Amino acid sequence: MILGEYATLEAIESMRRKLGLDLPLGEQFVRFLRNIVVHGDTGSSIIYETSSRDLILDRAPVTLLLVGMACLLAILLALLLAILAATHKDGPLDHLIRILPAVTLGMPVFWVGLLLIMIFGVQLRWFPVGGAGEGGLDRIYSLTLPAITVAFSQIPSLVRSLRAQMLEVLESDFVVTLKAAGIPGRVILVKHVLRNSALPALMLLGVNTAYLIGGTLVVEQAFGLKGIGSLLFSAISNRDFPVIQGIALYCAFFVVVIGLLVEIASGYLDPRTKGEP
Amino acid sequence: MKDRNPVVELDGLTLATRSRQPLVSGVSFRVEAGASLGLVGESGSGKSLTLRSIIGLLPSGVQRVGGQIRRSGSCAMIFQDPIRALDPLCPVVGQLAEVVYYRQRVSRKAARSIALELLEMLGLPDSLRTKDRYPHQLSGGQCQRIVIAMALACKPDLLLCDEPTTALDVTVQRQILDLIARLQKELGYAVVFVTHNLAVASSMCSELCVMKEGRIVEQGDTLQLLRDPQHSYTRMLMNSVLPLPELERRADP
Amino acid sequence: MSSAQPELRIRRASKLERSLKRIWSLPSLLWGCILLAILIAVALLAPIISPYHPSEQNMAAILQPPSSEHWLGTDQLGRDLFARLIYAARTDLKIMALAEIVPFCVGVFLGMVAGYYGKWADALITLATDTFIAFPFYLIVIIVAFVSGAGEKGIYITFMLVGWIVYARVVRGLSASLRKQEWIAAARTLGLPNIKIILRHLLPNVLPQAVVVLMTDMAVLLVAIVTLGYLGIGIAPPTPDWGTMISEGQPFISTKWWLSAAPGFAVVYAGIALSLIGDGLADLWRRK
């Protein structure tokens, strides 16, 4: 199947031996599991003949940097927008933010990327059109546009949740107490309101990590970045199953780890979950 | 203060929703320094809104559409549900110290020691000094003491009490009321006390305003008002206070 | 919200006239329906509206800018972009609607079963949904779509496998809270069989919420279909599809930007219509 339709019998036989397909099925499976647990590997790539783990780790930095930048951007922008919307309730920006999720729901993330390339890459020439750049700063600069694209897909839901949360907190009794006690509004907003509304937003971001990574894989394709996404597509077109399996496993692992981190962070932020001392 | 100036004076206060639905209409009263006034009425009679308008913290969607509020001196407020009145993510002593810091304009360190002094004054346990405690770890009565401490940190000439005992256990209610009354004598602030409990109001206040549907229906000296209620609603409120039947029967020979 | 549900059923059974009035008073629902109706009408009437056939090539007039002859210009094979756009609406909307049927029914049913029975049924279904959630949505979609063979069939299989999870999660939570309510307990003590309680009492109460989710999920699914088309593992050319149109236009992005932009706007338009309807329905069914 992998060698195409016109492969000779000998070629098929040697391929089978190399992949361990000549072994009994049970033994194949045990080998596979041992490989995952011991080496963090899902077998050698059929095409590149190196371990799929090394292939993935080789491509991971670009994708991870992209995910990290996108997260950071999404959080910063969402915070800013949510504060503005909640403090100027029913103002023009607030209305805009309320209809934003409806508009962006139907926006394919790669298409947003193309639009950004069109505007900032081609027309304004502020950012490079594709490629990941070399070296620290250049790489961050090259990844800015893709990161904005990925962040863009997260911002509407984050802003909506943060805004609703902030409005609820702003109306809550303890904010009235603090206001009555004469603490400046700015201090209440930053120190108390933001902190109280950040928790649900953090949870949402944790839940959305999986979606964020999926979006990143597609955006890489739109920007021609050599990350996990492009590895996935080349693996798919080459039917390179060990690599596909590896990518799926590593992504799931990453999502689980992020979920765990979010859980820990929220426990740290919220004294109520620590239990009675 | 000694010349009996009013600390707060309301003149025909009228509040309404944004859609012009009246909530409070034509409420007038004055409170002199060190005096205490009770606002009594059922829930929804506009007493809490009247109180909030004095400190300028009307909930969103409610506006003042008429009347005047004249206030002199500083003003602080305590609330119905003390646990919800404190930031759940912030240690209670920290919150208190924050109020001291912003109201008394002292250093952070001094603010903390003033906060601890206040705790002692209000009879809060020493364990708060050493360990960071959060609102959910304290009882309702302890939280209310913290809220009162936060109000006192503002050095108020006027203390607004919004049903401060309603959400508390019966046994704690009395302690909190006594505390407010004792400190009033020591510190000399005036009190506006909102409650639906006529018994509480008459024990705390020398003057009462009975409110119904956003209006004051009867107003006057507490004893006189209780002895000779003019309005049928006042009588109804008085009748709704349950006596302690068994004790009365036993008192009879 | 849930405590108001029994009331809701009584009201719905009453006058149709009144519910029509309610729709009129909800602008988002009204506008959503109008936008969607226009889109569906255009898709259905595509052969009448469009002067060209979507795969009619004209090598003499490739990559033309918009003009009175070709409203949105032509693509790299000289095909009329507007014709392709509205014919693509036919393909994409049809697949979107068909691909949503099975996951919706399965998801709602499994969610009710999990929420109602609790215990091992719940544990099993929760385990399944949680496992799926750990994998990035697009990663699963891409891999499953590829393995099940690119094209329309692959899309149906993919969403049959992954689409039910959203509904199961939402409905499970709702059913679990409904189960604890007294009127369900009353029905149980009366000895009604479980399946009857689920269908007669649980279903009407979880359905509104599920339909609201259906609206947003259709938009998500449409975007996924378009994404698969863009990546070349969705609807195969020459069948017109917004996704493939965007990817075909990408090489010309610096000069003929509308080739990629126009199909994207069509997707956004459909998404706005669907999410307006979803928001409107949520408002309609919220208590009062």
Side-chain angles (χ1 to χ4, degrees):
Chain A
M1 198 166 84
I2 298 161
L3 295 173
E5 282 168 48
Y6 304 107
T8 59
L9 263 177
E10 296 100 280
I12 292 174
E13 204 41 52
S14 74
M15 188 77 172
R16 276 171 66 92
R17 208 165 304 124
K18 199 155 61 185
L19 296 176
L21 291 179
D22 51 345
L23 296 167
L25 211 64
E27 197 174 324
Q28 277 184 44
F29 187 65
V30 171
R31 261 186 162 196
F32 173 71
L33 282 185
R34 198 178 48 207
N35 242 327
I36 292 176
V37 178
V38 180
H39 306 291
D41 199 354
T42 49
S44 289
S45 160
I46 297 163
I47 306 300
Y48 302 106
E49 306 213 321
T50 45
S51 101
S52 55
R53 178 195 59 193
D54 294 345
L55 274 176
I56 292 168
L57 293 184
D58 188 41
R59 299 289 191 93
V62 175
T63 304
L64 284 180
L65 185 63
L66 187 54
V67 169
M69 283 172 68
C71 261
L72 204 68
L73 267 173
I75 291 172
L76 288 179
L77 280 174
L79 273 180
L80 189 74
L81 288 174
I83 290 176
L84 287 175
T87 48
H88 300 84
K89 192 170 176 288
D90 293 323
L93 184 74
D94 190 35
H95 279 292
L96 192 72
I97 283 168
R98 265 148 72 187
I99 53 171
L100 196 65
V103 180
T104 54
L105 181 69
M107 282 192 187
V109 61
F110 62 89
W111 181 72
V112 174
L114 290 183
L115 282 191
L116 290 177
I117 292 178
M118 224 147 69
I119 299 168
F120 296 105
V122 178
Q123 298 292 327
L124 298 173
R125 297 184 183 280
W126 286 359
F127 293 100
V129 171
E134 291 299 321
L137 268 180
D138 188 37
R139 171 152 290 189
I140 288 178
Y141 172 62
S142 311
L143 288 182
T144 305
L145 221 45
I148 292 175
T149 311
V150 179
F152 184 85
S153 66
Q154 295 295 309
I155 286 175
S157 64
L158 266 181
V159 170
R160 179 145 79 165
S161 141
L162 254 177
R163 172 190 168 273
Q165 204 61 35
M166 282 183 71
L167 284 178
E168 206 183 303
V169 176
L170 275 173
E171 292 276 305
S172 70
D173 288 358
F174 73 81
V175 172
V176 178
T177 315
L178 292 169
K179 272 190 201 160
I183 293 184
R186 178 178 38 85
V187 177
I188 298 180
L189 193 71
V190 174
K191 207 170 155 186
H192 300 279
V193 177
L194 215 53
R195 199 161 159 214
N196 272 281
S197 16
L199 267 173
L202 184 70
M203 294 298 225
L204 184 72
L205 197 67
V207 171
N208 277 2
T209 332
Y211 201 81
L212 192 106
I213 292 175
T216 310
L217 300 183
V218 179
V219 167
E220 276 179 18
Q221 198 67 1
F223 282 88
L225 296 175
K226 289 243 171 278
I228 302 280
S230 66
L231 182 66
L232 176 70
F233 293 114
S234 70
I236 279 181
S237 52
N238 293 328
R239 307 194 167 235
D240 198 347
F241 285 105
V243 176
I244 299 176
Q245 279 172 344
I247 291 173
L249 264 174
Y250 273 95
C251 282
F253 179 70
F254 187 72
V255 171
V256 170
V257 168
I258 292 289
L260 221 67
L261 286 180
V262 166
E263 201 77 6
I264 293 169
S266 70
Y268 181 75
L269 274 175
D270 189 350
R272 281 166 297 190
T273 53
K274 275 186 206 154
E276 293 291 303
Chain B
M1 251 205 262
K2 284 193 179 103
D3 52 347
R4 295 256 146 203
N5 266 334
V7 181
V8 64
E9 189 171 6
L10 263 62
D11 190 10
L13 176 77
T14 305
L15 303 174
T17 59
R18 242 176 234 153
S19 51
R20 298 273 144 185
Q21 213 175 357
L23 295 168
V24 169
S25 25
V27 166
S28 310
F29 58 71
R30 56 186 270 159
V31 182
E32 276 154 13
S36 48
L37 173 93
L39 287 177
V40 200
E42 61 197 1
S43 45
S45 61
K47 47 194 188 343
S48 285
L49 287 177
T50 307
L51 200 66
R52 284 197 172 196
S53 67
I54 295 178
I55 200 167
L57 286 175
L58 286 171
S60 63
V62 181
Q63 294 168 325
R64 192 168 97 197
V65 291
Q68 277 189 319
I69 300 170
R70 274 185 295 276
R71 221 180 73 197
S72 65
S74 62
C75 169
M77 186 160 172
I78 57 182
F79 298 87
Q80 181 170 0
D81 188 342
I83 296 182
R84 285 185 26 203
L86 293 168
D87 184 345
L89 303 185
C90 190
V92 286
V93 180
Q95 283 181 64
L96 180 53
E98 195 180 12
V99 177
V100 177
Y101 175 77
Y102 282 106
R103 287 302 286 251
Q104 305 191 3
R105 309 217 161 268
V106 290
S107 72
R108 292 260 178 206
K109 219 173 162 189
R112 194 169 170 88
S113 61
I114 293 176
L116 292 173
E117 273 167 37
L118 277 167
L119 291 183
E120 203 177 298
M121 190 161 111
L122 290 168
L124 279 156
D126 277 347
S127 62
L128 286 173
R129 274 168 187 277
T130 47
K131 233 176 151 188
D132 270 354
R133 292 295 186 139
Y134 293 91
H136 72 280
Q137 295 167 320
L138 302 182
S139 70
Q142 286 173 323
C143 280
Q144 192 62 290
R145 284 165 204 261
I146 299 277
V147 174
I148 294 174
M150 281 167 71
L152 296 184
C154 304
K155 305 212 165 179
D157 296 313
L158 173 67
L159 185 67
L160 305 170
C161 306
D162 188 358
E163 310 221 20
T165 58
T166 314
L168 300 178
D169 284 346
V170 187
T171 47
V172 187
Q173 287 188 7
R174 183 61 189 269
Q175 296 171 15
I176 295 291
L177 291 176
D178 287 348
L179 186 70
I180 294 172
R182 192 192 83 210
L183 292 168
Q184 186 181 14
K185 276 196 200 94
E186 284 173 23
L187 303 172
Y189 50 74
V191 170
V192 176
F193 200 97
V194 160
T195 177
H196 61 259
N197 189 330
L198 200 59
V200 169
S202 49
S203 70
M204 290 294 292
C205 309
S206 53
E207 203 181 324
L208 289 186
C209 292
V210 181
M211 283 187 76
K212 192 192 180 203
E213 285 160 10
R215 290 169 195 283
I216 292 182
V217 294
E218 196 166 359
Q219 187 166 13
D221 179 73
T222 304
L223 288 176
Q224 206 154 6
L225 195 133
L226 291 180
R227 210 173 291 143
D228 184 22
Q230 299 296 313
H231 198 275
S232 59
Y233 182 70
T234 314
R235 278 198 289 276
M236 205 189 81
L237 270 184
M238 285 173 67
N239 287 334
S240 62
V241 177
L242 285 175
L244 294 169
E246 279 181 43
L247 287 176
E248 277 181 4
R249 215 173 295 147
R250 224 171 281 160
D252 281 337
Chain C
M1 183 182 151
S2 41
S3 63
Q5 297 281 348
E7 249 179 75
L8 186 114
R9 284 166 57 208
I10 299 164
R11 198 179 309 113
R12 216 189 314 158
S14 73
K15 286 193 174 166
L16 191 88
E17 190 189 333
R18 219 202 269 165
S19 55
L20 277 177
K21 244 183 200 166
R22 288 183 67 81
I23 291 173
W24 198 252
S25 69
L26 287 163
S28 58
L29 185 58
L30 186 69
W31 279 107
C33 287
I34 292 175
L35 290 180
L36 190 68
I38 294 173
L39 185 63
I40 292 174
V42 168
L44 288 178
L45 301 176
I48 300 172
I49 299 171
S50 161
Y52 299 93
H53 191 268
S55 39
E56 182 188 315
Q57 299 181 6
N58 180 2
M59 285 308 184
I62 60 164
L63 294 170
Q64 289 199 340
S67 61
S68 58
E69 207 173 326
H70 297 282
W71 292 353
L72 287 172
T74 55
D75 69 2
Q76 76 284 1
L77 295 174
R79 297 173 295 192
D80 182 63
L81 193 67
F82 182 70
R84 288 184 66 71
L85 205 61
I86 58 179
Y87 272 95
R90 276 187 140 183
T91 341
D92 287 333
L93 290 182
K94 183 195 83 188
I95 295 177
M96 174 189 86
L98 288 179
E100 200 61 87
I101 297 172
V102 176
F104 179 78
C105 298
V106 171
V108 169
F109 182 73
L110 286 182
M112 285 195 301
V113 167
Y116 182 77
Y117 287 105
K119 293 183 198 125
W120 62 268
D122 189 27
L124 202 68
I125 290 170
T126 312
L127 181 73
T129 53
D130 284 357
T131 314
F132 267 107
I133 295 286
F135 290 93
F137 175 69
Y138 275 113
L139 185 69
I140 305 184
V141 168
I142 289 165
I143 292 176
V144 178
F146 174 74
V147 171
S148 54
E152 213 177 308
K153 195 186 80 207
I155 292 172
Y156 292 134
I157 295 175
T158 307
F159 291 104
M160 244 178 250
L161 282 174
V162 298
W164 60 276
I165 292 160
V166 192
Y167 303 105
R169 279 171 75 92
V170 171
V171 169
R172 189 197 79 94
L174 272 180
S175 315
S177 68
L178 282 170
R179 187 175 69 117
K180 295 193 191 93
Q181 275 176 23
E182 278 165 23
W183 51 278
I184 295 263
R188 283 175 113 175
T189 48
L190 286 175
L192 274 176
N194 284 331
I195 188 75
K196 242 183 183 162
I197 297 179
I198 288 182
L199 291 181
R200 282 250 184 93
H201 299 284
L202 223 47
L203 184 63
N205 283 292
V206 297
L207 211 52
Q209 190 65 42
V211 170
V212 169
V213 175
L214 173 69
M215 289 301 144
T216 40
D217 200 56
M218 281 217 271
V220 170
L221 196 137
L222 180 66
V223 172
I225 294 172
V226 170
T227 306
L228 287 178
Y230 171 76
L231 296 173
I233 42 179
I235 300 152
T239 313
D241 156 60
W242 290 329
T244 41
M245 286 172 72
I246 296 175
S247 76
E248 282 168 4
Q250 195 174 350
F252 312 102
I253 194 153
S254 47
T255 47
K256 312 276 187 288
W257 54 270
W258 57 87
L259 285 178
S260 284
F265 280 117
V267 186
V268 174
Y269 174 93
I272 291 176
L274 287 167
S275 74
L276 279 179
I277 296 177
D279 283 355
L281 286 176
D283 278 346
L284 182 70
W285 285 323
R286 208 165 288 154
R287 69 204 146 78
K288 261 209 258 178

